[in-house]
Amino acid sequence: MSEHIPAVNRQTSMQSGLGRVRGSGSARNGTHHWWMQRVTSIALLPLTIWLVFSLAVHAGDPWEVMAEWIGRPFNAVLLIVLIGIGFHHTEAGLQVVIEDYIRPERRAMVAGLVIKAICLVLGLLSALAVVRLAV
Amino acid sequence: MAHNPDAREALMIGTRTDGSTVRRPLSPHLQVYDMLQMSSLTSIMHRITGSIWSVGMIFFVWWLSAAAAGPEAYATVQWFFGGFIGLIMLFGLSAVVWYHTLNGVRHLVWDAGYGYDIPTTYRTGWATAIATAVMTVVTWIVAIIAWAS
């Protein structure tokens, strides 16, 4: 362990390992989960507005029109980006809700894993649907 | 002391100035906070709308899968969303989506460090409520015009 301590520290410090790292931030993921929720929400802001109005202007349109619209390169790419980031944000948000309200911890962990699995499968399913219409 | 399987409990026990212990409230809890306060009401609404939107994503997946599956599957989706229950659901979902989106902007502004004082919180809270109503109505005016033409 001592080889990780800078030479200067090795000579002068009488601090324990725990004392040195205390107050220096997280040992695990820190703010990563919180930060990714913000990053995804910023990306989802324009994407959501785009999708809502795109769907509204196509209200009642038949399959031929919608399948062609989904398959256009620009729309397909935006939809896939929306699906990826959207399900990431969904999973992250639901995980926080689960952690806050479901107890004991064991059950919250299981519920979190189930949500992860569902979001992954539904995300891949919808992305595949878009790819199928685009290529 | 009873066996407690939840490690999080350790963080939820506080101490009063007289030394007695007290259970701290967790995140937005309906029993703890006054739901007529703008701060707690908009906070729990953000969670509720987020959760409803998560369930609504299932219909988004259904819509996309049906479009990929072909005209017959897509006709079933159109039949469902064109019906009374489907339209009510879509209307509710559009309001939920706008609320979560607009209140999300409010959260991002807070995260940037602005608008924390109570008068501003009330102003932005009302602005979110009004903007949600306006954008939901605008969305449906666009949809109805598209439907009719």
Side-chain angles (χ1 to χ4, degrees):
Chain A
M1 205 176 158
S2 60
E3 61 268 356
H4 298 299
I5 304 171
V8 149
N9 244 7
R10 206 183 301 161
Q11 287 169 353
T12 57
S13 178
M14 295 286 282
Q15 264 187 315
S16 69
L18 181 62
R20 264 188 313 109
V21 299
R22 225 171 226 160
S24 299
S26 172
R28 296 203 180 88
N29 300 318
T31 58
H32 180 74
H33 188 274
W34 182 91
W35 175 244
M36 285 314 289
Q37 265 188 299
R38 270 69 197 168
V39 170
T40 50
S41 71
I42 291 166
L44 286 170
L45 183 59
L47 288 168
T48 302
I49 295 167
W50 166 76
L51 183 72
V52 167
F53 283 112
S54 297
L55 292 181
V57 298
H58 284 103
D61 279 1
W63 176 81
E64 289 75 17
V65 177
M66 281 322 289
E68 196 267 335
W69 183 86
I70 294 167
R72 279 184 223 165
F74 182 75
N75 296 336
V77 167
L78 283 193
L79 277 171
I80 291 169
V81 170
L82 178 69
I83 289 160
I85 299 176
F87 274 107
H88 185 291
H89 189 86
T90 302
E91 181 209 304
L94 286 178
Q95 196 196 324
V96 174
V97 173
I98 285 166
E99 281 169 359
D100 279 345
Y101 301 124
I102 294 184
R103 41 201 45 229
E105 199 168 18
R106 211 181 299 114
R107 198 181 297 163
M109 193 184 272
V110 172
L113 289 174
V114 170
I115 291 295
K116 250 190 205 333
I118 292 172
C119 285
L120 181 65
V121 171
L122 290 185
L124 286 174
L125 188 66
S126 27
L128 176 69
V130 173
V131 169
R132 202 171 166 191
L133 289 166
V135 294
Chain B
M1 217 170 139
H3 172 66
N4 195 337
D6 199 328
R8 292 171 298 178
E9 298 288 355
L11 302 167
M12 295 302 163
I13 306 293
T15 316
R16 293 196 189 92
T17 45
D18 65 359
S20 61
T21 52
V22 60
R23 277 179 65 98
R24 289 195 182 122
L26 300 164
S27 296
H29 259 264
L30 296 167
Q31 316 93 292
V32 176
Y33 295 122
D34 177 3
M35 282 305 140
L36 293 175
Q37 288 181 150
M38 182 62 85
S39 49
S40 37
L41 178 70
T42 52
S43 174
I44 196 66
M45 280 287 286
H46 198 71
R47 289 206 149 174
I48 292 169
T49 52
S51 304
I52 294 172
W53 193 349
S54 304
V55 178
M57 287 293 273
I58 294 167
F59 291 96
F60 174 68
V61 177
W62 184 36
W63 171 71
L64 275 176
S65 317
E72 279 166 48
Y74 197 74
T76 311
V77 175
Q78 279 198 306
W79 166 81
F80 178 77
F81 284 119
F84 181 72
I85 294 172
L87 282 173
I88 292 284
M89 275 181 50
L90 279 181
F91 184 82
L93 202 57
S94 65
V96 158
V97 162
W98 277 118
Y99 178 84
H100 196 84
T101 301
L102 293 165
N103 201 51
V105 174
R106 194 161 162 250
H107 271 277
L108 287 174
V109 173
W110 278 330
D111 294 334
Y114 302 101
Y116 272 113
D117 60 296
I118 295 296
T120 310
T121 302
Y122 269 75
R123 253 199 319 279
T124 54
W126 277 112
T128 302
I130 293 163
T132 299
V134 169
M135 291 314 289
T136 305
V137 170
V138 167
T139 304
W140 282 85
I141 288 172
V142 171
I144 288 164
I145 290 170
W147 181 285
S149 60

